[in-house]
PDB file of all heavy atoms in Angstrom:
ATOM      1  N   ASP J  31     -26.697 -22.765 -16.433  1.00 52.00           N
ATOM      2  CA  ASP J  31     -25.606 -23.730 -16.461  1.00 52.00           C
ATOM      3  C   ASP J  31     -25.122 -23.939 -15.034  1.00 52.00           C
ATOM      4  O   ASP J  31     -24.511 -23.062 -14.441  1.00 52.00           O
ATOM      5  CB  ASP J  31     -24.473 -23.222 -17.350  1.00 52.00           C
ATOM      6  CG  ASP J  31     -23.435 -24.272 -17.618  1.00 52.00           C
ATOM      7  OD1 ASP J  31     -23.546 -25.371 -17.052  1.00 52.00           O
ATOM      8  OD2 ASP J  31     -22.521 -24.005 -18.406  1.00 52.00           O
ATOM      9  N   VAL J  32     -25.421 -25.087 -14.459  1.00 50.00           N
ATOM     10  CA  VAL J  32     -25.157 -25.356 -13.054  1.00 50.00           C
ATOM     11  C   VAL J  32     -23.675 -25.225 -12.725  1.00 50.00           C
ATOM     12  O   VAL J  32     -23.292 -24.533 -11.784  1.00 50.00           O
ATOM     13  CB  VAL J  32     -25.657 -26.763 -12.675  1.00 50.00           C
ATOM     14  CG1 VAL J  32     -25.306 -27.099 -11.248  1.00 50.00           C
ATOM     15  CG2 VAL J  32     -27.145 -26.875 -12.902  1.00 50.00           C
ATOM     16  N   ALA J  33     -22.835 -25.845 -13.489  1.00 51.00           N
ATOM     17  CA  ALA J  33     -21.410 -25.877 -13.170  1.00 51.00           C
ATOM     18  C   ALA J  33     -20.753 -24.520 -13.338  1.00 51.00           C
ATOM     19  O   ALA J  33     -19.746 -24.234 -12.693  1.00 51.00           O
ATOM     20  CB  ALA J  33     -20.712 -26.909 -14.037  1.00 51.00           C
ATOM     21  N   LEU J  34     -21.304 -23.674 -14.166  1.00 71.00           N
ATOM     22  CA  LEU J  34     -20.687 -22.380 -14.416  1.00 71.00           C
ATOM     23  C   LEU J  34     -20.712 -21.489 -13.184  1.00 71.00           C
ATOM     24  O   LEU J  34     -19.760 -20.773 -12.914  1.00 71.00           O
ATOM     25  CB  LEU J  34     -21.406 -21.671 -15.574  1.00 71.00           C
ATOM     26  CG  LEU J  34     -20.860 -20.303 -15.950  1.00 71.00           C
ATOM     27  CD1 LEU J  34     -19.458 -20.427 -16.518  1.00 71.00           C
ATOM     28  CD2 LEU J  34     -21.780 -19.636 -16.939  1.00 71.00           C
ATOM     29  N   VAL J  35     -21.764 -21.533 -12.398  1.00 78.00           N
ATOM     30  CA  VAL J  35     -21.909 -20.621 -11.270  1.00 78.00           C
ATOM     31  C   VAL J  35     -21.738 -21.319  -9.927  1.00 78.00           C
ATOM     32  O   VAL J  35     -21.015 -20.838  -9.059  1.00 78.00           O
ATOM     33  CB  VAL J  35     -23.281 -19.913 -11.333  1.00 78.00           C
ATOM     34  CG1 VAL J  35     -23.460 -18.985 -10.162  1.00 78.00           C
ATOM     35  CG2 VAL J  35     -23.446 -19.165 -12.638  1.00 78.00           C
ATOM     36  N   ASP J  36     -22.385 -22.441  -9.736  1.00 83.00           N
ATOM     37  CA  ASP J  36     -22.441 -23.064  -8.419  1.00 83.00           C
ATOM     38  C   ASP J  36     -21.104 -23.611  -7.942  1.00 83.00           C
ATOM     39  O   ASP J  36     -20.775 -23.484  -6.766  1.00 83.00           O
ATOM     40  CB  ASP J  36     -23.484 -24.183  -8.406  1.00 83.00           C
ATOM     41  CG  ASP J  36     -24.863 -23.669  -8.747  1.00 83.00           C
ATOM     42  OD1 ASP J  36     -25.044 -22.437  -8.720  1.00 83.00           O
ATOM     43  OD2 ASP J  36     -25.743 -24.468  -9.047  1.00 83.00           O
ATOM     44  N   GLY J  37     -20.340 -24.185  -8.817  1.00 87.00           N
ATOM     45  CA  GLY J  37     -19.038 -24.729  -8.434  1.00 87.00           C
ATOM     46  C   GLY J  37     -18.084 -23.656  -7.937  1.00 87.00           C
ATOM     47  O   GLY J  37     -17.514 -23.777  -6.847  1.00 87.00           O
ATOM     48  N   PRO J  38     -17.881 -22.572  -8.704  1.00 92.00           N
ATOM     49  CA  PRO J  38     -17.009 -21.504  -8.212  1.00 92.00           C
ATOM     50  C   PRO J  38     -17.497 -20.856  -6.915  1.00 92.00           C
ATOM     51  O   PRO J  38     -16.691 -20.484  -6.070  1.00 92.00           O
ATOM     52  CB  PRO J  38     -17.000 -20.490  -9.354  1.00 92.00           C
ATOM     53  CG  PRO J  38     -17.270 -21.305 -10.569  1.00 92.00           C
ATOM     54  CD  PRO J  38     -18.222 -22.379 -10.114  1.00 92.00           C
ATOM     55  N   VAL J  39     -18.810 -20.737  -6.737  1.00 92.00           N
ATOM     56  CA  VAL J  39     -19.332 -20.167  -5.492  1.00 92.00           C
ATOM     57  C   VAL J  39     -18.974 -21.075  -4.320  1.00 92.00           C
ATOM     58  O   VAL J  39     -18.540 -20.604  -3.259  1.00 92.00           O
ATOM     59  CB  VAL J  39     -20.866 -19.942  -5.580  1.00 92.00           C
ATOM     60  CG1 VAL J  39     -21.443 -19.577  -4.226  1.00 92.00           C
ATOM     61  CG2 VAL J  39     -21.189 -18.867  -6.595  1.00 92.00           C
ATOM     62  N   PHE J  40     -19.116 -22.380  -4.501  1.00 93.00           N
ATOM     63  CA  PHE J  40     -18.780 -23.314  -3.426  1.00 93.00           C
ATOM     64  C   PHE J  40     -17.284 -23.262  -3.119  1.00 93.00           C
ATOM     65  O   PHE J  40     -16.884 -23.235  -1.950  1.00 93.00           O
ATOM     66  CB  PHE J  40     -19.203 -24.740  -3.809  1.00 93.00           C
ATOM     67  CG  PHE J  40     -18.988 -25.731  -2.711  1.00 93.00           C
ATOM     68  CD1 PHE J  40     -19.805 -25.735  -1.588  1.00 93.00           C
ATOM     69  CD2 PHE J  40     -17.958 -26.648  -2.782  1.00 93.00           C
ATOM     70  CE1 PHE J  40     -19.592 -26.630  -0.563  1.00 93.00           C
ATOM     71  CE2 PHE J  40     -17.747 -27.559  -1.760  1.00 93.00           C
ATOM     72  CZ  PHE J  40     -18.568 -27.550  -0.646  1.00 93.00           C
ATOM     73  N   LEU J  41     -16.452 -23.230  -4.153  1.00 95.00           N
ATOM     74  CA  LEU J  41     -15.004 -23.158  -3.940  1.00 95.00           C
ATOM     75  C   LEU J  41     -14.607 -21.845  -3.260  1.00 95.00           C
ATOM     76  O   LEU J  41     -13.702 -21.827  -2.411  1.00 95.00           O
ATOM     77  CB  LEU J  41     -14.262 -23.311  -5.261  1.00 95.00           C
ATOM     78  CG  LEU J  41     -14.336 -24.703  -5.890  1.00 95.00           C
ATOM     79  CD1 LEU J  41     -13.671 -24.706  -7.258  1.00 95.00           C
ATOM     80  CD2 LEU J  41     -13.712 -25.743  -4.982  1.00 95.00           C
ATOM     81  N   LEU J  42     -15.279 -20.765  -3.611  1.00 96.00           N
ATOM     82  CA  LEU J  42     -15.008 -19.494  -2.952  1.00 96.00           C
ATOM     83  C   LEU J  42     -15.357 -19.575  -1.464  1.00 96.00           C
ATOM     84  O   LEU J  42     -14.617 -19.074  -0.621  1.00 96.00           O
ATOM     85  CB  LEU J  42     -15.792 -18.366  -3.622  1.00 96.00           C
ATOM     86  CG  LEU J  42     -15.579 -16.984  -3.020  1.00 96.00           C
ATOM     87  CD1 LEU J  42     -14.161 -16.493  -3.308  1.00 96.00           C
ATOM     88  CD2 LEU J  42     -16.599 -16.004  -3.568  1.00 96.00           C
ATOM     89  N   GLY J  43     -16.472 -20.209  -1.149  1.00 96.00           N
ATOM     90  CA  GLY J  43     -16.845 -20.385   0.254  1.00 96.00           C
ATOM     91  C   GLY J  43     -15.824 -21.214   1.018  1.00 96.00           C
ATOM     92  O   GLY J  43     -15.470 -20.887   2.154  1.00 96.00           O
ATOM     93  N   LEU J  44     -15.340 -22.279   0.390  1.00 97.00           N
ATOM     94  CA  LEU J  44     -14.311 -23.101   1.034  1.00 97.00           C
ATOM     95  C   LEU J  44     -13.035 -22.298   1.277  1.00 97.00           C
ATOM     96  O   LEU J  44     -12.429 -22.376   2.357  1.00 97.00           O
ATOM     97  CB  LEU J  44     -13.995 -24.322   0.173  1.00 97.00           C
ATOM     98  CG  LEU J  44     -15.017 -25.445   0.160  1.00 97.00           C
ATOM     99  CD1 LEU J  44     -14.548 -26.562  -0.758  1.00 97.00           C
ATOM    100  CD2 LEU J  44     -15.256 -25.981   1.558  1.00 97.00           C
ATOM    101  N   TYR J  45     -12.631 -21.529   0.275  1.00 97.00           N
ATOM    102  CA  TYR J  45     -11.418 -20.735   0.451  1.00 97.00           C
ATOM    103  C   TYR J  45     -11.608 -19.659   1.522  1.00 97.00           C
ATOM    104  O   TYR J  45     -10.725 -19.419   2.332  1.00 97.00           O
ATOM    105  CB  TYR J  45     -10.965 -20.074  -0.860  1.00 97.00           C
ATOM    106  CG  TYR J  45      -9.767 -19.191  -0.622  1.00 97.00           C
ATOM    107  CD1 TYR J  45      -8.513 -19.756  -0.414  1.00 97.00           C
ATOM    108  CD2 TYR J  45      -9.896 -17.814  -0.522  1.00 97.00           C
ATOM    109  CE1 TYR J  45      -7.415 -18.968  -0.139  1.00 97.00           C
ATOM    110  CE2 TYR J  45      -8.803 -17.019  -0.244  1.00 97.00           C
ATOM    111  CZ  TYR J  45      -7.564 -17.599  -0.054  1.00 97.00           C
ATOM    112  OH  TYR J  45      -6.487 -16.820   0.231  1.00 97.00           O
ATOM    113  N   CYS J  46     -12.762 -19.016   1.525  1.00 96.00           N
ATOM    114  CA  CYS J  46     -13.024 -17.978   2.517  1.00 96.00           C
ATOM    115  C   CYS J  46     -12.955 -18.564   3.925  1.00 96.00           C
ATOM    116  O   CYS J  46     -12.378 -17.953   4.830  1.00 96.00           O
ATOM    117  CB  CYS J  46     -14.391 -17.347   2.270  1.00 96.00           C
ATOM    118  SG  CYS J  46     -14.798 -16.006   3.401  1.00 96.00           S
ATOM    119  N   ALA J  47     -13.511 -19.745   4.109  1.00 96.00           N
ATOM    120  CA  ALA J  47     -13.484 -20.384   5.434  1.00 96.00           C
ATOM    121  C   ALA J  47     -12.069 -20.779   5.833  1.00 96.00           C
ATOM    122  O   ALA J  47     -11.697 -20.691   7.008  1.00 96.00           O
ATOM    123  CB  ALA J  47     -14.393 -21.610   5.437  1.00 96.00           C
ATOM    124  N   ALA J  48     -11.249 -21.185   4.885  1.00 96.00           N
ATOM    125  CA  ALA J  48      -9.895 -21.645   5.191  1.00 96.00           C
ATOM    126  C   ALA J  48      -8.848 -20.545   5.091  1.00 96.00           C
ATOM    127  O   ALA J  48      -7.706 -20.741   5.520  1.00 96.00           O
ATOM    128  CB  ALA J  48      -9.530 -22.786   4.245  1.00 96.00           C
ATOM    129  N   SER J  49      -9.212 -19.390   4.563  1.00 94.00           N
ATOM    130  CA  SER J  49      -8.223 -18.342   4.296  1.00 94.00           C
ATOM    131  C   SER J  49      -7.451 -17.856   5.518  1.00 94.00           C
ATOM    132  O   SER J  49      -6.266 -17.530   5.383  1.00 94.00           O
ATOM    133  CB  SER J  49      -8.875 -17.171   3.573  1.00 94.00           C
ATOM    134  OG  SER J  49      -9.798 -16.510   4.401  1.00 94.00           O
ATOM    135  N   PRO J  50      -8.033 -17.785   6.715  1.00 92.00           N
ATOM    136  CA  PRO J  50      -7.210 -17.352   7.848  1.00 92.00           C
ATOM    137  C   PRO J  50      -6.008 -18.268   8.100  1.00 92.00           C
ATOM    138  O   PRO J  50      -4.954 -17.797   8.520  1.00 92.00           O
ATOM    139  CB  PRO J  50      -8.180 -17.387   9.027  1.00 92.00           C
ATOM    140  CG  PRO J  50      -9.522 -17.207   8.419  1.00 92.00           C
ATOM    141  CD  PRO J  50      -9.436 -17.904   7.094  1.00 92.00           C
ATOM    142  N   TRP J  51      -6.162 -19.533   7.825  1.00 93.00           N
ATOM    143  CA  TRP J  51      -5.056 -20.471   8.021  1.00 93.00           C
ATOM    144  C   TRP J  51      -4.126 -20.492   6.809  1.00 93.00           C
ATOM    145  O   TRP J  51      -2.946 -20.752   6.949  1.00 93.00           O
ATOM    146  CB  TRP J  51      -5.598 -21.869   8.306  1.00 93.00           C
ATOM    147  CG  TRP J  51      -6.275 -21.905   9.644  1.00 93.00           C
ATOM    148  CD1 TRP J  51      -5.681 -22.116  10.846  1.00 93.00           C
ATOM    149  CD2 TRP J  51      -7.659 -21.703   9.910  1.00 93.00           C
ATOM    150  NE1 TRP J  51      -6.609 -22.045  11.854  1.00 93.00           N
ATOM    151  CE2 TRP J  51      -7.846 -21.794  11.307  1.00 93.00           C
ATOM    152  CE3 TRP J  51      -8.762 -21.428   9.118  1.00 93.00           C
ATOM    153  CZ2 TRP J  51      -9.068 -21.645  11.923  1.00 93.00           C
ATOM    154  CZ3 TRP J  51      -9.999 -21.276   9.723  1.00 93.00           C
ATOM    155  CH2 TRP J  51     -10.143 -21.386  11.111  1.00 93.00           C
ATOM    156  N   ILE J  52      -4.665 -20.198   5.638  1.00 93.00           N
ATOM    157  CA  ILE J  52      -3.836 -20.170   4.432  1.00 93.00           C
ATOM    158  C   ILE J  52      -2.960 -18.921   4.423  1.00 93.00           C
ATOM    159  O   ILE J  52      -1.775 -18.973   4.104  1.00 93.00           O
ATOM    160  CB  ILE J  52      -4.719 -20.240   3.166  1.00 93.00           C
ATOM    161  CG1 ILE J  52      -5.418 -21.598   3.099  1.00 93.00           C
ATOM    162  CG2 ILE J  52      -3.899 -19.990   1.902  1.00 93.00           C
ATOM    163  CD1 ILE J  52      -6.481 -21.703   2.032  1.00 93.00           C
ATOM    164  N   VAL J  53      -3.529 -17.771   4.784  1.00 90.00           N
ATOM    165  CA  VAL J  53      -2.808 -16.513   4.774  1.00 90.00           C
ATOM    166  C   VAL J  53      -2.081 -16.282   6.118  1.00 90.00           C
ATOM    167  O   VAL J  53      -1.294 -15.369   6.243  1.00 90.00           O
ATOM    168  CB  VAL J  53      -3.767 -15.347   4.438  1.00 90.00           C
ATOM    169  CG1 VAL J  53      -3.060 -14.020   4.371  1.00 90.00           C
ATOM    170  CG2 VAL J  53      -4.460 -15.603   3.112  1.00 90.00           C
ATOM    171  N   HIS J  54      -2.344 -17.103   7.103  1.00 88.00           N
ATOM    172  CA  HIS J  54      -1.695 -17.077   8.420  1.00 88.00           C
ATOM    173  C   HIS J  54      -1.977 -15.806   9.210  1.00 88.00           C
ATOM    174  O   HIS J  54      -1.067 -15.121   9.649  1.00 88.00           O
ATOM    175  CB  HIS J  54      -0.169 -17.269   8.282  1.00 88.00           C
ATOM    176  CG  HIS J  54       0.212 -18.542   7.626  1.00 88.00           C
ATOM    177  ND1 HIS J  54       0.008 -19.769   8.206  1.00 88.00           N
ATOM    178  CD2 HIS J  54       0.772 -18.790   6.414  1.00 88.00           C
ATOM    179  CE1 HIS J  54       0.428 -20.715   7.405  1.00 88.00           C
ATOM    180  NE2 HIS J  54       0.892 -20.147   6.292  1.00 88.00           N
ATOM    181  N   TYR J  55      -3.253 -15.506   9.401  1.00 86.00           N
ATOM    182  CA  TYR J  55      -3.557 -14.393  10.296  1.00 86.00           C
ATOM    183  C   TYR J  55      -4.463 -14.847  11.438  1.00 86.00           C
ATOM    184  O   TYR J  55      -5.205 -14.074  12.012  1.00 86.00           O
ATOM    185  CB  TYR J  55      -4.130 -13.183   9.558  1.00 86.00           C
ATOM    186  CG  TYR J  55      -5.413 -13.375   8.790  1.00 86.00           C
ATOM    187  CD1 TYR J  55      -6.645 -13.251   9.403  1.00 86.00           C
ATOM    188  CD2 TYR J  55      -5.381 -13.618   7.429  1.00 86.00           C
ATOM    189  CE1 TYR J  55      -7.814 -13.384   8.691  1.00 86.00           C
ATOM    190  CE2 TYR J  55      -6.545 -13.741   6.700  1.00 86.00           C
ATOM    191  CZ  TYR J  55      -7.759 -13.624   7.341  1.00 86.00           C
ATOM    192  OH  TYR J  55      -8.912 -13.751   6.614  1.00 86.00           O
TER     193      TYR J  55
END
Side-chain angles (χ1 to χ4, degrees):
D31 190 356
V32 176
L34 180 66
V35 179
D36 301 346
V39 170
F40 185 72
L41 291 175
L42 180 69
L44 285 179
Y45 176 75
C46 182
S49 67
W51 292 274
I52 294 170
V53 182
H54 301 292
Y55 60 86

